Amino acid sequence: MFFKDIIGQKGVTEQLRRCVDEGRLAHALLITGPTGNGKLPVAVALARYILCSNRHNGDACGSCPSCVKMNKLVHSDLHFVFPVKKKKNSSADNAPVSDDYISEWREIFLKEPYFGYSDWLTMLDVENQQPMIYEKESGEILHKLSLKSREGGWKIMIIWLPEKMKEACSNKLLKILEEPPAETLFLLVAEETQHIIPTILSRTQRIELPRLDDNAVSLALQQRYSLDEATARSIAQQSGGNWEKAESMLKVSNDSNLYLDLFMTLMRMAYRRDIQAMKQWGDKVAALGRERQKGLLEYCQRMIRENFIMNFGRNEMLYLSPEERSFSAKFSPFVNENNIFGIMEELSEAQKHVEQNVNSKMIFFDMALRMIVWIKNR
């Protein structure tokens, strides 16, 4: 990952590059902002730039020994910390650390640098667990940073999702964050800074990455996936500046007919209050698999937004296929200011439960039942 590979974020990457070139980069950065805006890719591109021995034209060279190692994320002075799943019957002494899953980490990042937390859960196959950064990890961090740089330069520690760090682990890192060894850099990449303890926050310089501009997302889609401009712009607009979501929408585009059929069936069942059909519908969705379930819920949210816009007569703002438009012409009056927030909340709640590996049949049957109230509330 180079600076040139980052989607948008030119202002932030240029600022970081200047700080490196002028020797005024803070020793601990907290990189944050909306989901899917490229925080982790920016951190890795910054690490590559710092470690490169022949950087020029505002980026790493790509050919020096350091860059060659970075191509596979095997540079000995670049370390990663991230949430991991706990092994069965493990004690505090043998709790997992990031190095136990470094192969999976390299694989997912090299395949898709803009991956999200739900993608990592899938990679780990966590079942009902919530991955964490355990107390034992602090000892690993302190040990690695106490050693001399193997390449004779900077040592960089990237901590992805520090909000998942156990408090005991956070507390043990306070001293080294405040007074790190020479040429040591911490890059904390966070989604939810409100869950990071204040003493960590106070020891870092915050770098806020904005949401991606729709034009930047559209252009990247055209360049990387050879999409036509109209399709790319439609996906960019629907993604809300979230590249992870844009790629997800692109990957599930082949399932759009299935999703439309499931969406129409759900709304018709809710209108008829057909409980038995809802149970069958929930079983059918549960059999789709986790990724397609997530795709369906994202599709449903988009359709609700589009129907709300149609209900207000703003057809010039719609992004609907002919099949979707045909159904929405009759359905849109059922989506208005009285129920849109309730419907969207139900879909978001179901999405959260899917990511947490809650029983799928329960999730979708319960969601279908709740739709009865909101569809009738118009």
Side-chain angles (χ1 to χ4, degrees), residues 1-3 5-6 38-48 69-74 78 80 82 101-116 119-120 123 158 160 189 224 243 247:
M1 179 59 63
F2 296 81
F3 281 144
D5 297 324
I6 303 298
K39 296 181 289 295
L40 181 59
V42 165
V44 175
L46 175 60
R48 178 190 280 269
K69 294 172 186 175
M70 284 294 298
N71 290 338
K72 296 183 178 180
L73 296 185
V74 294
L78 175 63
F80 291 100
F82 40 81
Y101 297 94
I102 193 63
S103 296
E104 290 87 344
W105 174 262
R106 288 169 178 153
E107 179 183 346
I108 193 171
F109 184 88
L110 293 174
K111 182 179 179 181
E112 180 44 65
Y114 282 76
F115 74 92
D119 300 309
W120 183 234
M123 173 66 80
I158 295 179
W160 184 60
V189 181
R224 300 183 183 199
W243 178 257
E247 284 199 312

Side-chain angles (χ1 to χ4, degrees), residues 99-359:
D99 281 353
D100 295 335
Y101 297 94
I102 193 63
S103 296
E104 290 87 344
W105 174 262
R106 288 169 178 153
E107 179 183 346
I108 193 171
F109 184 88
L110 293 174
K111 182 179 179 181
E112 180 44 65
Y114 282 76
F115 74 92
Y117 183 57
S118 61
D119 300 309
W120 183 234
L121 293 180
T122 301
M123 173 66 80
L124 291 180
D125 189 21
V126 296
E127 298 178 350
N128 294 323
Q129 271 196 59
Q130 284 299 303
M132 301 291 294
I133 300 174
Y134 295 95
E135 181 179 359
K136 186 179 178 181
E137 192 80 61
S138 60
E140 296 288 312
I141 294 172
L142 295 172
H143 173 70
K144 290 173 181 177
L145 298 183
S146 68
L147 303 175
K148 291 184 178 180
S149 166
R150 295 184 182 180
E151 305 288 334
W154 283 82
K155 293 174 292 183
I156 301 176
M157 179 67 65
I158 295 179
I159 303 179
W160 184 60
L161 302 184
E163 59 267 37
K164 301 291 184 183
M165 193 182 295
K166 290 284 190 180
E167 187 171 351
C169 181
S170 297
N171 288 330
K172 289 184 177 182
L173 297 180
L174 295 178
K175 182 173 177 58
I176 194 170
L177 273 172
E178 188 167 12
E179 300 176 3
E183 293 190 311
T184 297
L185 175 64
F186 281 93
L187 299 176
L188 281 64
V189 181
E191 293 279 343
E192 300 174 320
T193 56
Q194 69 272 21
H195 297 311
I196 303 175
I197 63 173
T199 43
I200 290 283
L201 295 176
S202 65
R203 287 164 168 79
T204 60
Q205 177 180 319
R206 186 165 182 151
I207 303 292
E208 188 82 25
L209 269 66
R211 72 179 288 278
L212 294 176
D213 179 79
D214 287 352
N215 290 331
V217 174
S218 175
L219 182 61
L221 287 169
Q222 293 175 60
Q223 293 174 340
R224 300 183 183 199
Y225 294 100
S226 301
L227 295 185
D228 61 86
E229 183 178 356
T231 302
R233 288 182 63 83
S234 175
I235 293 176
Q237 189 270 341
Q238 295 170 42
S239 71
N242 183 335
W243 178 257
E244 180 191 348
K245 185 176 181 180
E247 284 199 312
S248 175
M249 292 173 63
L250 188 62
K251 291 174 184 175
V252 302
S253 60
N254 293 332
D255 291 325
S256 58
N257 290 334
L258 170 64
Y259 293 159
L260 174 59
D261 180 65
L262 290 169
F263 176 77
M264 292 189 301
T265 302
L266 173 62
M267 296 307 158
R268 287 166 177 161
M269 290 186 308
Y271 179 76
R272 297 195 307 265
R273 303 189 181 191
D274 190 338
I275 307 300
Q276 184 176 355
M278 286 180 169
K279 178 66 168 60
Q280 296 172 350
W281 182 90
D283 292 346
K284 181 178 180 180
V285 176
L288 291 178
R290 192 159 170 265
E291 291 305 310
R292 293 175 105 185
Q293 290 167 8
K294 289 161 55 181
L296 171 63
L297 290 167
E298 290 179 359
Y299 179 86
C300 290
Q301 291 177 70
R302 180 177 75 82
M303 285 296 289
I304 293 298
R305 285 193 296 268
E306 296 294 319
N307 276 268
F308 181 71
I309 294 171
M310 178 179 278
N311 193 19
F312 278 85
R314 301 300 300 272
N315 290 351
E316 74 279 3
M317 299 175 63
L318 295 176
Y319 294 89
L320 294 170
S321 69
E323 294 80 8
E324 292 169 341
R325 190 178 290 268
S326 176
F327 173 75
S328 298
K330 295 181 179 180
F331 176 68
S332 59
F334 290 86
V335 184
N336 52 58
E337 64 273 15
N338 293 324
N339 62 8
I340 183 171
F341 296 110
I343 294 174
M344 294 296 281
E345 184 176 348
E346 298 296 347
L347 293 169
S348 297
E349 188 73 8
Q351 198 166 27
K352 182 176 71 174
H353 289 156
V354 168
E355 292 177 350
Q356 293 172 343
N357 290 308
V358 177
N359 183 285

Side-chain angles (χ1 to χ4, degrees), residues 15-28:
Q15 175 190 352
L16 291 171
R17 184 192 63 77
R18 286 199 307 268
C19 288
V20 174
D21 293 346
E22 297 169 8
R24 52 183 182 84
L25 191 70
H27 65 265

